[in-house]
Amino acid sequence: MSSKAELQLKPWCPICGMDVGRPSYGQERKLREFPMGRCECGAVYVAEATGHNVGAAMVECLVNACGDNWDLAWDLLPDEDYLTGQIDDYDEVSHQVVQTRNLDGRAVRGVLYFVRLHKDLAEFAARFAAKQGTEGAGKETVEPARPARRLDPKRKRMRADKQTVARLASEDNVEALVTLYLDDRRTLRFLHRMLYSPDMAERYKTAWILGRVCGEGATLEPGPVADLLHRLFEACADSASSSWGMIEAIGAIIANRPDIYGAFTRHLFAYMGDPGTRGAVLWGLTEIAASRPDLIRAVPFYSLFPVLTHQDPVLRALTVRLLGRVRAKEAALQIMGLTHDRTPVTIPDQGRLYSSTVAALAAEALQLIHQEEA
């Protein structure tokens, strides 16, 4: 028999996988309005308590995401212009997903429906909402929208197996892996298993390939990627299992789609305290900072400053690179002191090992910081 914890779950965003808060009504009430909320990834969601009026909830959710611009909402196409998701068996009273569909003798049939606009449209909706003085603007994202991959519905679907996935990964054939993932979700499982390698170079290569596949596949299927992220975090938290490659994979997935999964960055930062995962965390944060330095500045990155004097030169190098990418002028003097550190280091860079010196990386970081000041 299932436990109560298994039968009642806290609602989550099917697009990014983060927990979501209780939806509520806006300050300005409208006719036939549903309670709404907003996920950290920018998705707007509505709650429909009965399960009988989901169509109206979907329309209102999309219109709200468009900043109450009805003309824009009717011109949009799913996948190409926005992502959607749905959570069934939602109980609005207790704010839980009840898998038994019955809570204390009360039927549970509610639905949470999610819409998240792509970048250009989110920016347009935000400007329109600001101009109209409405509160339902789409939240701006930094990453550009990626065109949804269109596959022939009449094609013969492929089935993933360990050998095929390993071969495509060794060939760095990400396009074929994405197509295979869209046909068979087990592709992610096989890539996940390949992370268990004692070879550091192989781990980082596999993690980056996994991140790229997830990044491309999330345009059409963000849910399975969010589920994978949760499994990776669970594996890292399990003291009885090996975390080889797990942190690397988390960092790679976030770095390849920070617009969807950027909210997980703060959870990745929490593993900085473990000496065994510190290097992988710094690498992941550095890759995320390449496109979204704001996500790093949202976590307590000041605590990284002491790592600049760590006895391990690889940790010093990774920290220098990270602080340069976030334009941390607060650490400029400490970084300047490392410009004389000629210690050779080999660090991962987008899944491949990169050889340099601490001094060279410090000089690059200072150049980025001074560009920001200029």
Side-chain angles (χ1 to χ4, degrees), residues 23 80 120 127 146 160 177 313 347 359 363 371:
E80 291 186 4
D120 295 338
R127 290 195 297 269
R146 304 188 186 185
L177 283 169
I347 60 174
Q371 284 178 357

Side-chain angles (χ1 to χ4, degrees), residues 49 151 284:
L151 301 178

